[in-house]
Structure formats: C-alpha cells, structure tokens
Amino acid sequence: MLGVTHVTRGAAPVQDNATEVTAAGIARLAGVGRAAVSNWRRRHADFPKPVGGTETSPSFALAEVEGWLRAHSKLAEVPLRERVWQQVVGHPEGPVTALTHAGCALLLIHDRPTLWLEVSAGSDERLAAMLPEALDQVLTPRFGTVRPGRRSRGGRANGADRAGTPTGTSTAVNPPAGDRATPTVHTEPAVNTPALQNLTGPAALASAPLLRGTAELAAELGARQAFEFLLGRHLDANPRQYTLTPADLADLMADLAGPARTVLDPACGTGALLRAAAPDGPAPRPEQDGLRLHAQDGAPDLAALTALRLALHTRATVRAAAGDTLRADAFPDLRADAVLCHPPFNERNWGHDELAYDARWEYGFPARTESELAWVQHALARLRDDGTAVLLMPPAAASRRSGRRIRADLLRRGALRAVIALPAGAAPPYSLPLHLWVLRRPGKAPAQPEVLLADAGQFTGEGRGGPDWRAVRDAVLGAWRDFDRAGHLDERPGLARSLPVIELLDDDVDLAPARHLPPPAADGPGRLADVRERLGETLRLTADLTPVAADSAQTAPRWPLTTVGELARGGALLLRSGGASGRVRVPVLTDHDVLAGTTPSGTLPESDEEPVLTEPGDVVVPVLGGGSVARVVDDATAGAALGRNLVLLRPDPAALDPWFLAGFLRGTANNRQASSYASTATRLDVRRLQLPRLPLDAQRRYGDRFRALDEFERALRLAGRLGEQLVRGMYDGLTDGSVAPD
C-alpha cells in the first residue's frame, strides 16, 4: 500500500470491499434531508440493506444506493466532484488510503496519459492486473526506489501518547504541526522508509471505481487540481486532525530562505512549505532548474500525500520518506541550500534519552522541554555552509531559561540571524504571536555579529480574518533583505532593529523582539480627539438606526414555504460553491470576512479552475461553524473570488429580492433545521434552507427592513472598533505621558 495503515479483512469477496456511503451521504446524493432517507428505508422493502457501520449509523454499498435512487427517480444531478468525494470518504480502507490511491492514478495520468488509457481500457480486473507495473514506470523515476505494497496490521490511535516506547524503537509519527495529523502510533524499529509504496493487485481492484472516477475528474479539472480538490476536502472535513501551515506564511518563509536548488522540510506534513519553495506548475522556472525537494514526516500517510502533491505540483526531483526525523533521519548526508520547517511544539518525548551523544547537538544538548531547539540544530546540521533555515517557533523558545545556553551559542557563532514575531492569528495556535527564526550555517564566525529583531504584531487583522499579509510581507522582507545585505539595520520604530550579539548575552538571553524594540509612537491627543469625534457620530447613527419595537400582538403568518434547492432547480437563483482562484490573482472573500463583515482579505493558490467571482446583489452564506449569517454583496465586495466554505446564491431579480433572500436565510430556526452536526463541526446544507413564497412587492418590503437591520449591524461593528481604538489610545497616552490625567 502507499504508506498508510490498512485493516485486513480476510478472504472476503471483492463486493464486500465496495465503496460505502452513510445516510448523510445518501441525502447529499439525492438532494434531500436525512429524515427522507430514514423514511425510504422504512417504506421501501427493496431499499439496499446495510453492509457496514453500526446499528445507529449504518453504511450502505454506494453502487447499490445509486442503482436504487436511479430506479426510483430520486437520484439528483450530483456534480462529478461530489460523486468522487463520496467514493473517497466511503472507501473501505479509509479516506487517506483512497487519496493516496487516487494520487498515484493522477500522477500516472499526468506523466503518462497514454499508458493510463491503455491500463484503464477494459474490465476492473484488467486494470488491477496492469496498474502496479504501469505505476512502477512513473513512481520509480519520480521518487526513487518504490517497494511493492503490503498489508500491515494496526490502526489509528488519535491523540495517543508515545511515552513508554521501548529503547531502540520509535513511533513513526510526530505530534501535530506543520500540516501534520493527530498522532498515529506505530511502534517499529527506528528506521525510515520511502513514503510511497506501489499498489498490489487486490488494492487496485478494490479502488478501481474510485480510480476511474478520479480519471473523469482529472479530465474536467486537470490532474493537479483534481488532487488539490480532494486533499482540500479531506483537510476541511477533518479540521482538528491537522495543524496546517497557511499558504501566506509558507510563502513568507520560502522568500526569507531565498533561492535554493536543494530544499529540505524534515516535518513536511502535507507539503505546504515545499510547495512554496517549488515552481508553480509543471515547468520549472529557469533559476530553479534542477530543483531537488526532500521531505520527511513521521506519519506515513502524510509523507505519501506530500510526495504525490509535490510530484503533481512541480517537475522538481522529489525524495520523501516516512520516519521519526530526530530518531531516524532519512537524509543524514544531505547538505541543503535551504531548510524550511514547522516543527511540532512542546514535544517531551522527542528522543532526549536516546540521542544524548548525537553529533547534531553542535550548539548544546537540548533539555527535555526544548524539543524546538533540537529541530533548530537538526536544520543547521542539514545545511551547507552559508545555507539558510527558516523555522516557525513558539514564542516561549526565545526566552525559556532552559534553552538560554543554546541560544547564547547560536548567537556567538553567528548561526541565529533573525527572530521575527508574527501577528497573532498567523498560524495555529491562532491565539499566540508565533516567531520565525532565520538561521544560517556559518562558514566562519563573524567578527562583530548582529542579530535582527523584528515585530510584525501591529499588522494583526480584524476578527478571524488573519493578519494583513501584504503589510507583513513588505515589512518583514524589507527589513530582512536590508539587514542581510549590510549586516546591520538602523532602527525602524516599533518594527525592527539589529542589535550587537554582545548586548543580548546576559543571564536570560531573551530574544523576544517585543522586549528589545520600542513600541510605535502612541496616538497623540489630536488623533485621539478625531477617534472620539468619529465614535460620537457613529453612536448617534446607531441610535437613529435602532429598529422600532416589534408589535407583540401580531400573529405569525403561515406562508407556503420553498427551499433554496427548489428555487435553484426552478431557475430562480444560481447556486455556486467557492474554492478556486484561477490564474489571475484577485482578492478572495473568505468565510471569516463574511462573518466579520470586512472586505475581502484572503488568498488562494493559483489554479486552472475558473474562480466564482462575486457580483452586486449576490448572497453569500458560510457553511461551517453553525452561525446564522448571510451577506449581500455590495460594490466594495464585488469582483472578489469566492473562498472555501462559502456558497454563493445569485437570485434572478425578476423573481427574488436579494435582501429578502438574505434576511430569511439568517433565521435561527431555519439554520438549525438545515444543519448537520458532527463531533467536531457543524455544516449547513444551504439547499435545505427555507423561505416563504411571496410576491416580489412583498419581498421588497421585507427586504427594506432587512437592509435597515444590516446597516444598524454595520454601525454597531464600527462603533465597537472605534471604542476599542479610543480605549487603547487613552491607556497608551496616559502611560507614556502624551495624555495628561486632567
């Protein structure tokens, strides 16, 4: 198999391994609610029998369900993407195995399309017999030696503790970080293995329907975008199992490292950092011709997915391995131009007892509580002289007393070149302002070394929208490049300065930038007076906009109801889902923007898929989080690409008023009846949202009232922001003396 754990099912016939689907999946296929599926099971004796799951949550064979729905004219027009995704989530060996199988087929389609056509012609049995040999012609040139697949025992143990592992063994996984999954325990010899293993005939036969569906999707989207879509859906569906490195942060880290021909990520996760370092698309840029990417992760499934993702993303040479990096380094002889790493944080069982005499601890043996400093020294050990490493670090690593001796030696020898504090919200955990450490393996110790300290905390975004990445990039890259060129940087108030190393070598060796940078100049009394005046105007406006009291004696009308799904089928509105940005980079409207009422702030990777662009009068609805929110697009939001986890409704103005539509979609009871609840998330099925059937003139009367409520809500938000700004400015002014107490 492909670097994932499978469950042995014995000698069951192939039919038992057919793709399975739950009642919720059946509801999505038919475009109905789960209650309708329960009714079908009770009323129709020929409804397919469960083939798995539990008594309270049974699963059914997807092929049988589709046949039954088709025979009873209940099969909705399901998009190809949704059909393939159902095959992934219903795969008998789990979605990760399905993704790796699909990724191998997509790589074959991408590299050798005529060979895929030859293999896929004919029966599933023929495909299964020919596929392993065909894949070997693609996997071996792209990844090096690839072993035949084998079944292995064991399974996932989410959140399991690795303590108590016998001496001389290791678990093939690290804790969540760098796009990694929640820990999976596999106790095995401390060795690394190639990330990918070729399929066996039985595995290919079990996955044959999925592989054919994936090939259809590749014909529609392209092989690379098909894999990105499926992987993105998997990550979105399991938000608590993965700690992702945001694309903007990955791009910043790659730019700090600079051009490189050999790049290593020793904790690669799903490959976000290496993708940022690689050329975008099948043809390398001239300056990166001959690029070599090395990846390792303790979770075999993520190492496999990263290998496939990188191979589909770039023509660079890819070498990926599964194994515990600190205990079983897959690339001990590598001397890379750059190392990019988002290591696991606060890992106690990183190998402290086994690795006391390891040659990598050139700057001191890390304490048990300083796993991050072990990763720092591993990165330095894998660099060539003058090579650059950029690591995402928790802020405590810059000041913990247990690490002060290692920090001091990194400074003395000129290895640590910069510590950059990011705004809160830059990466998980979003509540902390994480740091970037920029390191360089010194060819020789500088005579009078200095270190750059920078703090980009002032660029924190509003609400959950994340930082102002454009401002962060401009400030951080500008300061780093000027410092790197001259070895010194004059003070940029509140943002950056370079300090002689000797000034930091005290008892604490505290490298937190905030402790060494004077804060930006506080707002003066004149500026605070302007804020106070704006706040007063806004409060007066909110008073004028306050809705009149409702008539409690009015009887609730009994309207005939319809659903968004029925309106879409009838042509009264167009329904689209977001998630692609196209080739032309435009602002992306994110679900956080919709929830916070802010302008488009997101970005998405370039893709061959056409983005969904917003127009004035569109209604945008977030589908995750359980909130009752719908936003009407105005001129400030129009023209943005629709982000992930958003659904766009474009009403026909001759049939629907957009404010009427948005207002009724925000009803709490409406959202509750259209939502499904999982253990980790709430998802809204927009097609099930209801609204009354009213003539257009009545819709517009409701729409005017809903528009007034929206204006009142915006005024309240603005008043809150101005109030916070005034309070913060007053505190700063009183404490720094620029504002008198009387």
Side-chain angles (χ1 to χ4, degrees):
M1 300 302 169
L2 302 171
V4 291
T5 300
H6 289 0
V7 179
T8 303
R9 291 176 174 248
V14 172
Q15 182 61 35
D16 289 344
N17 285 334
T19 301
E20 298 173 10
V21 63
T22 63
I26 297 173
R28 282 192 291 270
L29 287 171
V32 298
R34 292 186 62 176
V37 178
S38 299
N39 287 335
W40 294 342
R41 292 184 62 195
R42 287 195 301 268
R43 293 170 50 194
H44 297 276
D46 61 338
F47 192 88
K49 303 300 181 186
V51 297
T54 64
E55 184 175 346
T56 56
S57 181
S59 59
F60 307 82
L62 179 59
E64 294 179 5
V65 167
E66 287 182 333
W68 188 89
L69 292 173
R70 192 173 291 108
H72 289 75
S73 301
K74 298 182 184 296
L75 186 63
E77 286 297 324
V78 181
L80 176 60
R81 300 185 198 189
E82 185 64 31
R83 180 156 52 87
V84 176
W85 172 243
Q86 288 298 328
Q87 291 175 323
V88 169
V89 297
H91 194 280
E93 300 286 3
V96 174
T97 298
L99 283 172
T100 49
H101 290 191
C104 281
L106 288 168
L107 187 58
L108 178 60
I109 293 167
H110 181 270
D111 286 4
R112 302 284 298 276
T114 56
L115 182 56
W116 165 258
L117 292 175
E118 179 184 347
V119 168
S120 60
S123 66
D124 289 352
E125 288 74 12
R126 181 177 182 274
L127 182 150
M130 298 180 63
L131 187 59
E133 182 178 349
L135 283 176
D136 191 57
Q137 298 181 44
V138 173
L139 300 183
T140 299
R142 296 302 296 272
F143 305 114
T145 303
V146 177
R147 299 184 302 177
R150 60 182 176 83
R151 286 191 178 272
S152 61
R153 294 179 299 169
R156 299 193 65 127
N158 290 338
D161 192 348
R162 295 198 300 162
T165 302
T167 302
T169 66
S170 76
T171 57
V173 68
N174 291 318
D179 295 35
R180 275 204 298 284
T182 301
T184 303
V185 175
H186 304 286
T187 301
E188 57 187 34
V191 296
N192 58 73
T193 59
L196 279 166
Q197 300 177 34
N198 201 346
L199 275 74
T200 61
L205 184 58
S207 295
L210 167 66
L211 301 183
R212 295 188 187 278
T214 302
E216 289 185 56
L217 191 61
E220 180 180 296
L221 302 179
R224 180 163 64 103
Q225 288 307 315
F227 188 73
E228 288 295 320
F229 164 73
L230 295 174
L231 179 60
R233 283 289 295 265
H234 176 67
L235 298 178
D236 289 342
N238 300 277
R240 295 193 179 182
Q241 292 185 23
Y242 299 93
T243 301
L244 303 180
T245 306
D248 290 298
L249 175 57
D251 290 340
L252 175 61
M253 293 174 67
D255 287 341
L256 285 169
R261 291 181 179 271
T262 305
V263 186
L264 167 68
D265 184 349
C268 65
T270 58
L273 292 174
L274 290 175
R275 287 184 77 235
D280 187 13
R285 295 192 296 267
E287 68 271 19
Q288 290 185 308
D289 189 24
L291 179 66
R292 297 182 296 278
L293 304 176
H294 295 77
Q296 183 169 355
D297 199 276
D301 52 358
L302 288 178
L305 292 176
T306 291
L308 291 165
R309 193 181 195 190
L310 294 174
L312 287 164
H313 177 75
T314 176
R315 283 288 178 183
T317 300
V318 177
R319 292 293 179 264
D324 187 317
T325 297
L326 295 181
R327 289 182 171 96
D329 183 14
F331 309 106
D333 300 322
L334 179 65
R335 295 298 176 264
D337 298 322
V339 175
L340 302 173
C341 186
H342 178 173
F345 298 161
N346 303 319
E347 162 75 336
R348 293 297 183 102
N349 189 24
W350 56 267
H352 179 271
D353 295 337
E354 303 104 295
L355 302 173
Y357 302 102
D358 196 287
R360 288 171 291 182
W361 315 142
E362 191 176 342
Y363 301 86
F365 180 43
R368 188 183 301 277
T369 57
E370 293 288 351
S371 62
E372 296 87 3
L373 294 182
W375 286 95
V376 163
Q377 295 191 74
H378 174 82
L380 283 167
R382 296 296 160 261
L383 285 173
R384 63 165 175 80
D385 287 350
D386 296 320
T388 304
V390 183
L391 283 83
L392 184 66
M393 301 285 281
S399 56
R400 280 191 297 241
R401 288 189 61 81
S402 55
R404 66 188 185 279
R405 289 194 179 121
I406 294 177
R407 292 196 299 271
D409 208 29
L410 289 168
L411 290 173
R412 285 192 198 97
R413 297 170 61 180
L416 181 57
R417 306 296 295 137
V419 177
I420 300 164
L422 296 170
Y430 291 109
S431 59
L432 291 179
L434 300 177
H435 290 178
L436 290 177
W437 285 24
V438 183
L439 303 112
R440 184 161 287 159
R441 184 170 181 83
K444 60 179 181 178
Q448 294 180 328
E450 295 194 7
V451 64
L452 174 68
L453 300 177
D455 189 346
Q458 61 187 287
F459 303 117
T460 301
E462 296 179 353
R464 297 173 59 197
D468 181 349
W469 279 110
R470 182 172 299 177
V472 171
R473 284 179 57 82
D474 291 345
V476 169
L477 290 177
W480 164 249
R481 287 167 178 164
D482 289 346
F483 168 76
D484 192 37
R485 187 182 308 112
H488 173 78
L489 185 74
D490 292 331
E491 181 179 331
R492 299 181 181 181
L495 178 63
R497 66 186 294 202
S498 66
L499 286 176
V501 163
I502 192 66
E503 294 187 18
L504 298 170
L505 295 177
D506 54 16
D507 289 341
D508 295 323
V509 196
D510 190 335
L511 306 181
R515 292 191 173 93
H516 302 280
L517 294 174
D523 292 332
R527 171 64 177 158
L528 292 179
D530 293 340
V531 174
R532 189 176 186 278
E533 183 177 351
R534 286 189 63 200
L535 176 60
E537 294 174 356
T538 305
L539 290 175
R540 288 190 291 273
L541 177 62
T542 57
D544 294 339
L545 294 174
T546 301
V548 297
D551 184 0
S552 58
Q554 181 172 333
T555 304
R558 294 184 176 274
W559 296 302
L561 298 177
T562 185
T563 66
V564 169
E566 290 174 352
L567 291 171
R569 287 192 290 271
L573 58 81
L574 176 68
L575 189 149
R576 301 286 300 276
S577 297
S581 66
R583 283 292 175 188
V584 179
R585 301 304 292 267
V586 296
V588 176
L589 183 68
T590 69
D591 54 345
H592 302 316
D593 298 331
V594 175
L595 293 169
T598 55
T599 55
S601 65
T603 59
L604 287 170
E606 291 185 6
S607 68
D608 297 324
E609 186 179 355
E610 286 298 318
V612 178
L613 299 180
T614 58
E615 297 178 2
D618 290 344
V619 177
V620 181
V621 184
V623 297
L624 291 181
S628 303
V629 178
R631 178 173 176 180
V632 178
V633 174
D634 55 15
D635 291 336
T637 310
L642 193 68
R644 291 173 178 160
N645 302 320
L646 290 176
V647 170
L648 179 143
L649 307 176
R650 182 165 294 159
D652 179 353
L656 279 174
D657 179 81
W659 287 100
F660 163 81
L661 174 63
F664 273 96
L665 297 189
R666 290 189 62 169
T668 302
N670 199 6
N671 275 258
R672 285 177 179 171
Q673 65 84 27
S675 296
S676 58
Y677 304 93
S679 58
T680 60
T682 301
R683 188 172 187 89
L684 179 69
D685 185 349
V686 176
R687 290 179 176 273
R688 293 172 57 192
L689 288 169
Q690 298 175 338
L691 62 159
R693 295 182 182 272
L694 295 179
L696 195 56
D697 59 342
Q699 292 182 32
R700 288 173 178 155
R701 289 199 301 273
Y702 275 99
D704 290 342
R705 191 67 182 272
F706 287 135
R707 187 198 295 263
L709 281 174
D710 180 79
E711 190 175 356
F712 176 64
E713 185 178 35
R714 289 171 185 263
L716 287 176
R717 283 201 184 106
L718 177 58
R721 290 196 294 268
L722 291 171
E724 290 177 1
Q725 186 177 351
L726 179 61
V727 169
R728 184 173 62 249
M730 288 296 296
Y731 270 111
D732 291 344
L734 287 166
T735 55
D736 67 15
S738 62
V739 175
D742 49 12

